[in-house]
Each structure stands twice: as structure tokens, then as C-alpha cells.
Amino acid sequence: MAQKPSIPKGTRDFSPMEMAKRNYIFDTIKHVYQLYGFQQIETPAMETLGTLMGKYGEEGDKLLFKVLNSGDYLSKITPDELAERNSLRLAAKLCEKGLRYDLTVPFARYVVMHREELQLPFKRYQMQPVWRADRPQKGRYREFWQFDGDIVGSDSLLNEVELMQIVDTVFSRFGVRVQIKINNRKILTGIAEVIGAAEKIVDITVAIDKLDKIGLDNVNQELREDGLSDEQIEKLQPIISLEGTNDEKLNTIAEVLATSETGLKGVEETRFILDTLKTLGLKNEIQLDLTLARGLNYYTGAIFEVKALDVQIGSITGGGRYDNLTGIFGMPGISGVGISFGVDRIFDVLNALDCYPKDATNGTQLLFINFGDKETAYCLPFVAKAREAGIRTEIFPDSTKMKKQMSYANAKQIPFVALAGENEMSEGKLTLKNMETGEQSLITIDEIIQTILA
């Protein structure tokens, strides 16, 4: 009995209709990036584990898909090592490569390897799949696409402002209401300093980044397990639950961080970004959220996250400033800032809200019916002419029953069908049928082209 085919959990097939929708998403984001002078690159699906490991924190390292070495991969493993069954130690010897976890670390590696070719500041966009060995659930996949934009080689906060404009423009074009959340890792570092837990900054940010998912009590419990005292956790509570306008929050946190130079620098950077964006008339709300932590270790300044307001789903875009990511690859001092659009979640949001324009999912516009060899030979030049005019055109390949060919047109939602029999050929014309209204007319191919393109 043949094995029933399947795909790995957390992965998906996409139908032609779904791909039309996804291409609409890709094309929209790509066009906005290009408006701001970004250029496209691609990097391999696999990177060396040396490139990937240690860049995403301990939790991120656990989610890396490792690729088994080819050939006799057991030749370097001793019987004692096999008997020990230490999976982490075995993986280190059995695997030299891994599937990329995101597009930012491979981009940093790209910048270092190609630094002589790049004109700084370098603005790149990249749309490719990434993989994470996560537990699949609604809105969370093991294979998914990201669409990143990064600017490296510039410390200017105008880059952060520009990226927020890009986010606002993209979701405005999609017709999706979003809330753009902003924070700054320097503010979080300052908070850790003033509560006397500077060495716990990573633990603190990883924990409070989970606030929306696990709730305040569980966040506090995780902080307790990470070694923070009850007094330190108590000092965090008013900061985590801070309310008011963006300006009010900044004024309050500036008072709290008065003794932290790093924290005040974060307040200053955030104020500049928010004040500048006020003058640019964003269509979507931008909110300072001190619980936004984004646990990735490489963020050093502003951090961003975007939530859809009308659909219950996780973050659909995120990013931030990283001041020395390329330093780990031997090129210190290169600052960068970037964002990543979560294409798969955006796809789910647009489906839930039915935000696709009609022409985004249209396939074939015109189908020529096949009545036989003579009729097909008559139609083929017209098929070519319609395509030259930019009309998506098919001719049915088999001279089968007309009912079957019409069913094909209906199933694919093709709006126009062209027919040619003895009468049409004798007049050098075609019968054009509008599949929505049922109207038919005997006209020339030029008139058909004008009708469809009108």
C-alpha cells in the first residue's frame, strides 16, 4: 500500500490563488522599499553554524535547524560519545551547517564579506524563507518568509524615522490598521541599572518580552527564577505598567532613569524619533511601549514591533537598531538598523480582513475555445496578439466538449471567452462572451483587446 504523502508540521503548500495573494504582498512591500532607495540581495538558505550560533540568545540557539553533515558523518564519533547520548555534543560534531533563523545575521555576514564592494550607507531589502524549530501553532510556523529592510553604515536616527515611514506606508497600502510600538534597549538597560540588576539585562528583557503571551504574574515568576529579588521585581512593576501619552511616558521614565546615562540616552533617541514622526503625518498610531523588549541579543537602540488592530495575531513586523552586529565577524563599528515584515502573518491578516484588491488575484483574462485543428490554427495568431497587448491569455489545449471548456473557464474565474467557428472565420472575427453577464458580440481581435483593457 502506497504511503500517504504529507509535509512537515509547521510548513504549508500554497495554491495558485494563494500565491497570487502572496505575490501581491511581496510586490507591495518591494515597491515601497524601492521608493526609499533600497536594493535587493539574497543569501544562501544554509549558513555555517559558526555564523548562526550565539547570535540569538540561548533560546534562539535551541530553535536552529541543524543540517547533518554529508558522507560518513559518524566517522568522527567514538563509541563512548554515542553511548553518552549527549545530543548537543553530538550535534556539534555531526553538523557544520544550519538553516538560517532570520535574515539579519546572514546580512551582517554578507556586509563583512563584501565590504569592499558596498557603498555606505548601504540600504538593502531581502525576501526569503527562514526556519525555526519552534512548536507550530496558529500564526507560528517552522518555515516562513521574512521581508527585511536594513540600513548599515550610518548612526543617524533619520534611518529609524524612515523605517517607520516605510511600515506606515506598507500597511496603509494594504488597508490594514496597525499600531506601531517603539522602545529602546538603552532604556531597558537603564531600568536594569537603576533597580540594581545591570548584569540581568538579558534575563529581564527576555522575560518582559513575553508579557502579552504569559501575563504579568508569570513574567514576575520568570524574573524570580532568573535570580531577581522581590524588591527588584517590585521596582519593575510601575515601569512595566506605565500609562499616558508618549510624551508623558518619556517624561516619567526620564525621571526614573535620572541616574543612568545609558537610560537617558535611550530617552533622548526615542524622543527624537517620535517628535520627528509627528511632523510627517503617519496614518497609523505609534506608541511608546516599555514592555517591548524583543529578546534578541543584538539590538542596542530603538526597537519596533507592529500589531494588527483588527485581527488577533502576534507581531506582524519588528526590528531595531544594532550598533555592532558585524563586529562578531571581524568588522567592528558598523552600525545598522532594520525591520522585518512577517509575510506569513501578513498573509493571514489580509485573508481575515479580505483586503486584497480584485486585480491582485486575477489570473487568465481571456480563454480561446478549441473547436479543432482548423479553428485552432485560425485562433493562434489572435492568441499571440492578445498576449502582446498584455492580456493574460490561454487557448484550451484539447478540442473536447465545449461544456468542459466552459467549466474550465468558470472554475478559473476567467472573465472572457473567445470562440471561432465557420461564421467567425469567414468574417475574420471572433465571438467574445462576457462570462459574468453572458453577453456575446461578434468583433475583431483589436476590439476584443480594447474591451478587455478598457
Side-chain angles (χ1 to χ4, degrees):
M1 184 175 178
Q3 182 179 349
K4 186 177 180 181
S6 64
I7 59 175
K9 288 182 179 179
T11 65
R12 295 181 287 176
D13 288 324
F14 294 103
S15 68
M17 179 63 75
E18 289 169 327
M19 281 309 304
K21 292 178 177 180
R22 289 170 68 80
N23 284 331
Y24 163 70
I25 294 171
F26 289 135
D27 291 344
T28 300
I29 300 173
K30 182 191 298 187
H31 185 256
V32 175
Y33 274 137
Q34 290 172 345
L35 283 176
Y36 286 78
F38 285 66
Q39 297 174 294
Q40 185 176 8
I41 68 164
E42 287 194 353
T43 58
M46 289 186 297
E47 297 277 353
T48 66
L49 286 179
T51 294
L52 299 174
M53 294 290 286
K55 312 305 188 302
Y56 307 105
E58 187 177 343
E59 292 194 11
D61 282 351
K62 293 176 183 177
L63 300 181
L64 287 173
F65 273 112
K66 299 175 178 66
V67 179
L68 197 64
N69 293 339
S70 55
D72 186 5
Y73 50 82
L74 288 177
S75 61
K76 297 179 182 179
I77 307 297
T78 68
D80 289 343
E81 287 172 326
L82 281 175
E84 188 182 354
R85 300 177 67 84
N86 186 318
S87 57
L88 291 178
R89 192 173 299 170
L90 284 172
K93 289 198 169 186
L94 293 173
C95 307
E96 297 172 354
K97 300 174 288 293
L99 298 180
R100 59 171 172 252
Y101 177 95
D102 72 352
L103 299 179
T104 305
V105 169
F107 173 55
R109 190 265 311 149
Y110 176 92
V111 170
V112 173
M113 289 185 65
H114 298 271
R115 57 188 176 272
E116 301 301 328
E117 309 159 27
L118 301 179
Q119 175 65 53
L120 298 181
F122 179 50
K123 304 166 79 170
R124 86 78 162 88
Y125 71 87
Q126 185 174 353
M127 53 176 187
Q128 288 184 277
V130 299
W131 294 267
R132 296 183 185 177
D134 213 344
R135 185 171 64 86
Q137 54 186 290
K138 180 176 173 58
R140 187 181 293 273
Y141 307 99
R142 286 176 171 166
E143 178 189 60
F144 55 97
W145 281 70
Q146 288 184 338
F147 203 151
D148 285 16
D150 286 81
I151 306 168
V152 294
S154 169
D155 297 325
S156 172
L157 292 172
L158 289 176
N159 296 321
E160 277 86 339
V161 170
E162 190 170 273
L163 289 175
M164 293 304 92
Q165 289 179 277
I166 288 172
V167 168
D168 185 65
T169 303
V170 164
F171 287 106
S172 296
R173 291 191 177 191
F174 285 146
V176 174
R177 294 191 317 123
V178 298
Q179 182 183 71
I180 305 168
K181 296 189 174 188
I182 182 173
N183 198 6
N184 195 297
R185 286 298 289 256
K186 293 185 180 74
I187 291 177
L188 294 171
T189 299
I191 291 169
E193 289 176 0
V194 299
I195 69 169
E199 75 284 357
K200 296 286 186 181
I201 177 60
V202 173
D203 294 330
I204 292 171
T205 55
V206 168
I208 65 175
D209 200 30
K210 299 175 182 176
L211 184 66
D212 286 346
K213 300 171 188 172
I214 65 177
L216 182 59
D217 290 343
N218 288 320
V219 167
N220 289 336
Q221 179 59 33
E222 187 167 319
L223 290 169
R224 200 169 285 113
E225 292 170 358
D226 287 333
L228 270 74
S229 68
D230 288 341
E231 182 183 358
Q232 290 170 329
I233 294 171
E234 185 64 29
K235 287 181 180 178
L236 275 175
Q237 302 312 295
I239 298 169
I240 292 175
S241 57
L242 190 63
E243 295 183 348
T245 66
N246 290 336
D247 287 334
E248 290 168 345
K249 290 177 184 176
L250 279 174
N251 291 337
T252 300
I253 199 65
E255 293 176 11
V256 173
L257 301 179
T259 60
S260 170
E261 183 180 347
T262 299
L264 290 178
K265 179 65 174 173
V267 171
E268 177 189 337
E269 291 177 359
T270 306
R271 196 183 299 278
F272 174 86
I273 295 167
L274 291 173
D275 286 349
T276 306
L277 287 170
K278 283 180 188 176
T279 69
L280 298 175
L282 296 190
K283 295 181 175 65
N284 292 284
E285 175 195 2
I286 184 162
Q287 181 189 81
L288 174 62
D289 183 355
L290 294 180
T291 68
L292 174 61
R294 297 193 65 80
L296 299 182
N297 284 346
Y298 51 68
Y299 290 128
T300 56
I303 46 180
F304 316 106
E305 199 160 271
V306 180
K307 295 286 183 71
L309 293 177
D310 301 313
V311 178
Q312 285 291 107
I313 199 167
S315 167
I316 54 178
T317 298
R321 163 73 64 172
Y322 43 90
D323 277 335
N324 195 26
L325 185 62
T326 54
I328 54 179
F329 298 122
M331 189 180 178
I334 297 293
S335 183
V337 60
I339 52 173
S340 178
F341 289 94
V343 173
D344 293 87
R345 286 187 177 180
I346 293 171
F347 174 78
D348 290 342
V349 168
L350 294 187
N351 279 339
L353 299 177
D354 193 21
C355 282
Y356 294 99
K358 186 177 180 182
D359 61 357
T361 56
N362 280 351
T364 301
Q365 297 168 282
L366 175 63
L367 174 70
F368 281 78
I369 297 298
N370 187 331
F371 285 120
D373 293 343
K374 184 172 64 173
E375 291 83 357
T376 296
Y378 173 78
C379 287
L380 282 175
F382 297 144
V383 172
K385 192 166 186 178
R387 288 171 178 159
E388 287 172 7
I391 295 171
R392 299 184 295 276
T393 306
E394 291 184 58
I395 184 167
F396 202 84
D398 306 304
S399 57
T400 186
K401 293 180 180 178
M402 186 172 174
K403 181 180 179 181
K404 181 178 180 180
Q405 298 187 51
M406 286 297 191
S407 295
Y408 176 84
N410 283 324
K412 292 191 67 175
Q413 298 182 343
I414 300 173
F416 293 99
V417 167
L419 307 93
E422 291 292 342
N423 292 338
E424 287 82 2
M425 289 191 291
S426 65
E427 295 192 38
K429 295 182 178 181
L430 296 156
T431 294
L432 181 70
K433 180 173 182 177
N434 185 316
M435 296 296 284
E436 292 183 8
T437 65
E439 294 178 2
Q440 295 188 183
S441 51
L442 183 65
I443 53 179
T444 65
I445 185 61
D446 290 334
E447 291 171 319
I448 287 176
I449 290 170
Q450 290 173 7
T451 299
I452 295 175
L453 294 180

